[in-house]
Amino acid sequence: MPNPLEELTVDQLRQRTSLKWSAHPADVLPLWVAEMDVRLAEPVAVALKEAIDAGDTGYPAGTAYAEALAGFAARRWGWGDLAVERTAIVPDVMLGAVEALRLVTDPGDAVVVSSPVYAPFYAFITHDGRRVVEAPLGADLRIDLDVLATTFAEARAGGRRAAYLLCNPHNPTGRVHTADELAAVAALARQYGVRVVADEIHAPLVLPGARFTPYLTVPGAEDAFALTSASKGWNLAGLKAALLIAGPDAMPDLARLPEEVSHGPSHLAIIAHTAALRAGEPWLDALLAGLDVNRRLLADLLAEHLPQVRHVPAEGTYLAWLDCRALGIEEDVDDGLAVVSDLAGPARHFLDRARVALSSGHVFGTGGAGHVRLNFATSAAVLTEAVRRMGAAV
Ligand SMILES: Cc1ncc(COP(=O)(O)O)c(C=O)c1O
């Protein structure tokens, strides 16, 4: 199977109307939002074409998506008892996370996050009337269990309910939490009475050398929720559909999920996600091999062109977290808020001077300033040219 990251030219990518390639002028190389520069995997494209040819565009029905996930989880992660009856179809991962948080917290309650973390966590939690409380990652970018314990205690002050929105694997750092780390998280959550909602959208994207542990397979996680979809693994963000999975002790909570939540995802999206999980593994394996090549290429390019930038290669995801603080670029941020749109410091500098679009670190919360997130799900040629330009701009 050819490397999916090497099948499209820049000219073809510029024809796209989705966010990544359309948000900036034509002289900008976009390595920002989490879209991949790939064609649709063949089994997904075939399933969608068949549905369109058959006019099969009505309302979704049945449990094929959850069954496909259960099969994938068993083959891929040895998760043999993902119970289809403990799943619900939700419009997408973020709306599913909001619904799960509604089941286990009340308005005004705290939702703990490990910053720096996927920026929309802040917006979605706040929009739903909950408070974000940060438990920053350690200097090694791994979960700091002492900080998490203190934050859980604070979150539960006054006997209020509280939840932890875990990102597993972690965006933007690309860390894949180990089974031991997750077991320690579960023990703390039990000790403090905090409910865990695990966002596992990047789970299929674990690179050679790391192993994904589904949070619900960890001892002590029986009352938790997990969310996943084929969206990141197979680049289906434009075909929204996700699955919310309850641990056995969270089943009474899942039973309170309003029925109308499952009206959100579209039938075509469910067909696409189901096909990816059922028959998309050869494509995924080719993608992971390509991402592994790019991960090494990026490390070499950074060493050559930007030796001051600190970077620990990602264990999972296609996101690289670059510590640019040694470049001494002024962080034009006031009280944690970007003065200029959602770009600050290094990301603003690289867009203006290198014509490379990256995600600005400060939007990921405490610990993010002075960093950029680079999306390496692109061709070797684009990646090489982008880092060369970035190096020339400092
Ligand atoms: C950690 C994480 N969660 C959720 C999402 C968005 O998923 P969805 O479009 O299904 O809400 C992303 C997208 O990049 C993500 O990185």
Side-chain angles (χ1 to χ4, degrees):
M1 174 119 11
N3 179 351
L5 297 166
E6 299 294 345
E7 291 190 304
L8 292 167
T9 65
V10 167
D11 285 343
Q12 287 172 314
L13 289 162
R14 288 203 199 283
Q15 302 300 315
R16 289 189 167 178
T17 55
S18 69
L19 192 57
K20 187 184 186 189
W21 283 87
S22 70
H24 296 96
D27 63 330
V28 172
L29 288 176
L31 303 185
W32 63 297
V33 69
E35 293 179 20
M36 296 195 282
D37 296 345
V38 294
R39 286 185 204 283
L40 264 188
E42 184 70 11
V44 178
V46 168
L48 287 170
K49 279 182 201 139
E50 282 176 2
I52 286 170
D53 289 346
D56 184 12
T57 52
Y59 293 111
T63 53
Y65 186 6
E67 281 156 27
L69 175 66
F72 181 82
R75 292 190 300 277
R76 221 60 199 177
W77 309 315
W79 184 4
D81 60 350
L82 194 166
V84 169
E85 60 280 10
R86 279 192 272 109
T87 64
I89 296 179
V90 290
D92 59 28
V93 165
M94 283 319 299
L95 290 177
V98 166
E99 293 295 342
L101 292 170
R102 278 187 186 162
L103 296 174
V104 297
T105 61
D106 296 306
D109 285 344
V111 177
V112 176
V113 302
S114 292
S115 64
V117 73
Y118 181 55
F121 277 15
Y122 293 83
F124 278 86
I125 293 168
T126 313
H127 181 63
D128 202 41
R130 273 70 178 162
R131 282 181 297 123
V132 177
V133 180
E134 295 184 321
L137 298 172
D140 57 356
L141 300 181
R142 307 211 75 100
I143 294 171
D144 183 326
L145 293 167
D146 292 333
V147 169
L148 194 64
T150 316
T151 314
F152 280 178
E154 274 167 33
R156 292 279 281 127
R160 298 192 76 125
R161 303 209 286 174
Y164 175 42
L165 183 52
L166 169 72
C167 194
N168 176 39
H170 196 93
N171 172 2
T173 60
R175 295 309 96 193
V176 177
H177 308 301
T178 64
D180 286 348
E181 285 170 325
L182 295 175
V185 167
L188 285 180
R190 285 279 167 163
Q191 182 184 344
Y192 289 95
V194 170
R195 299 292 294 277
V196 178
V197 175
D199 173 343
E200 303 192 332
I201 196 169
H202 289 278
L205 293 169
V206 168
L207 298 171
R211 189 174 166 76
F212 172 69
T213 305
Y215 185 71
L216 291 180
T217 65
V218 159
E222 295 78 9
D223 68 347
F225 284 98
L227 285 141
T228 198
S229 86
S231 172
K232 291 299 119 183
W234 287 266
N235 203 42
L236 304 178
L239 289 157
K240 277 178 176 267
L243 286 164
L244 173 63
I245 313 156
D249 297 347
M251 196 51 212
D253 297 307
L254 186 68
R256 291 185 290 107
L257 185 76
E259 204 262 343
E260 60 271 21
V261 173
S262 297
H263 293 202
S266 83
H267 183 46
L268 277 183
I270 290 170
I271 287 172
H273 287 244
T274 304
L277 292 166
R278 231 185 234 162
E281 275 174 87
W283 185 91
L284 179 67
D285 286 332
L287 172 76
L288 293 176
L291 290 176
D292 190 26
V293 168
N294 279 8
R295 169 172 72 164
R296 266 177 279 134
L297 173 64
L298 177 62
D300 292 345
L301 290 166
L302 289 170
E304 183 183 347
H305 297 287
L306 285 163
Q308 312 92 317
V309 167
R310 284 190 51 218
H311 160 241
V312 188
E315 298 168 328
T317 79
Y318 46 76
L319 307 167
W321 184 237
L322 309 184
D323 180 349
C324 300
R325 286 173 293 183
L327 296 177
I329 297 169
E330 193 92 355
E331 190 80 13
D332 47 355
V333 172
D334 187 17
D335 292 335
L337 294 172
V339 176
V340 197
S341 74
D342 59 354
L343 283 187
R348 160 72 45 204
H349 182 91
F350 288 126
L351 180 60
D352 290 346
R353 312 272 176 93
R355 308 305 281 155
V356 175
L358 304 161
S359 302
S360 191
H362 76 284
V363 304
F364 299 91
T366 297
H371 294 69
V372 294
R373 190 191 74 176
L374 180 151
N375 171 349
F376 58 85
T378 189
S379 66
V382 168
L383 188 60
T384 304
E385 172 62 7
V387 181
R388 190 198 61 72
R389 287 192 201 177
M390 288 163 66
V394 298

